[in-house]
Amino acid sequence: MPSIPESLLTALSGAKHVVVFTGAGVSQESGIPTFRDELSGLWQRYDPQELATPEAFARQPDLVWGWYEFRRRNVMLCSPNAAHRTIAAMAGVFPRLTLITQNVDDLHERAGSQKVLHLHGSLLQPRCHECARAYPMPSGIPVEPATGWRIEPPRCPDCNGHIRPGVVWFGESLPEDAWQAAQDAAQSCDVFFSIGTSAVVYPAAALPELAARRGARLIQINPLPTPLDLLAADNLHGKAGEVLTQLWAAFRA
């Protein structure tokens, strides 16, 4: 386990606005594969980057919808981990905390975090591919149909268009409101945590760089080195749940 610098604890003690930016590594600790992990089982013959595009949905909507229903099922079978719970606890201590995530699950919300900025959308918030109307999904956990995971998407009650997953696909822009709020937070915070992210997926990866340029203390928590290592004031290498638990215990002592 990494040692926690006293200067970091001092910075947290005086922080007025803390930003927490999370990536796939945080969800991975709950058992959710990262997007870069090779697909297994019945999906191993597909490239995830080829399924996650508007063009793929136009060609084979049943295949793409089925894959995202499979992913939604896996998310709903997982539980928040120590990192999610610690981040939720942090919000009750600092005057202001902004939580920004690249993850498309709802584990932060299930751990108790509120007003999460989802830069890459959410598996649990599908919408119409044509008119963008939000579509409420059933509350139960998806079950694999007897015919397999090729599932025809539901139709929009307004325009009869296909309902699509509520995620940001390759070639699409980030949601404007969430992205603007994330940039504003990065420019106004005292402390910026980058947790469980490879820091290579842009434009989201620009946020910690923006915060550091504006004078925030940049703290990186990740098992492996990333491009942020040279920029961060603190590089705490390890699993998010373990490092955050240790850090939070030291801060609250």
Side-chain angles (χ1 to χ4, degrees), residues 158-178:
D158 280 356
C159 72
N160 201 42
H162 277 131
I163 301 300
R164 57 159 286 174
V167 301
V168 176
W169 280 329
F170 289 102
E172 294 183 326
S173 300
L174 302 186
E176 185 175 345
D177 290 348

Side-chain angles (χ1 to χ4, degrees), residues 29-246:
E29 292 179 28
S30 286
I32 298 174
T34 70
F35 197 80
R36 286 179 173 78
D37 290 340
E38 289 188 8
L39 298 182
S40 60
L42 73 165
W43 298 105
Q44 61 186 352
R45 58 196 171 103
Y46 298 101
D47 179 348
Q49 296 195 31
E50 292 181 358
L51 292 172
T53 67
E55 294 77 16
F57 189 66
R59 289 193 304 268
Q60 300 184 86
D62 59 338
L63 177 66
V64 173
W65 181 260
W67 182 51
Y68 279 94
E69 281 294 272
F70 174 79
R71 292 181 63 195
R72 186 168 72 92
R73 174 182 181 274
N74 288 347
V75 163
M76 295 179 73
L77 290 172
C78 292
S79 299
N81 60 57
H84 297 109
R85 294 190 294 271
T86 301
I87 292 166
M90 290 168 65
V93 172
F94 297 110
R96 181 183 175 193
L97 185 142
T98 302
L99 175 53
I100 308 166
T101 188
Q102 294 171 285
N103 299 329
V104 296
D105 54 64
D106 66 339
L107 294 182
H108 281 301
E109 286 87 348
R110 280 195 264 157
S113 292
Q114 300 179 8
K115 298 181 180 178
V116 183
L117 298 177
H118 282 268
L119 293 186
H120 294 162
S122 171
L123 288 169
L124 290 91
Q125 296 179 351
R127 64 182 186 273
C128 178
H129 193 46
E130 302 299 328
C131 70
R133 169 179 169 155
Y135 184 82
M137 292 296 290
S139 58
I141 297 174
V143 176
E144 181 178 3
T147 54
W149 283 106
R150 275 186 176 265
I151 304 171
E152 186 67 19
R155 291 284 184 169
C156 176
D158 280 356
C159 72
N160 201 42
H162 277 131
I163 301 300
R164 57 159 286 174
V167 301
V168 176
W169 280 329
F170 289 102
E172 294 183 326
S173 300
L174 302 186
E176 185 175 345
D177 290 348
W179 178 235
Q180 186 60 58
Q183 292 180 93
D184 291 345
Q187 293 181 86
S188 64
C189 65
D190 315 291
V191 174
F192 190 106
F193 282 92
S194 178
I195 307 175
T197 173
S198 61
V200 296
V201 178
Y202 284 84
L207 292 173
E209 299 170 0
L210 175 60
R213 288 200 305 269
R214 290 301 183 101
R217 187 178 183 115
L218 177 57
I219 304 156
Q220 178 177 228
I221 299 174
N222 206 58
L224 301 173
T226 80
L228 287 181
D229 278 36
L230 297 177
L231 186 62
D234 308 280
N235 286 297
L236 306 179
H237 292 303
K239 292 184 177 180
E242 294 176 356
V243 175
L244 275 175
T245 298
Q246 178 190 7

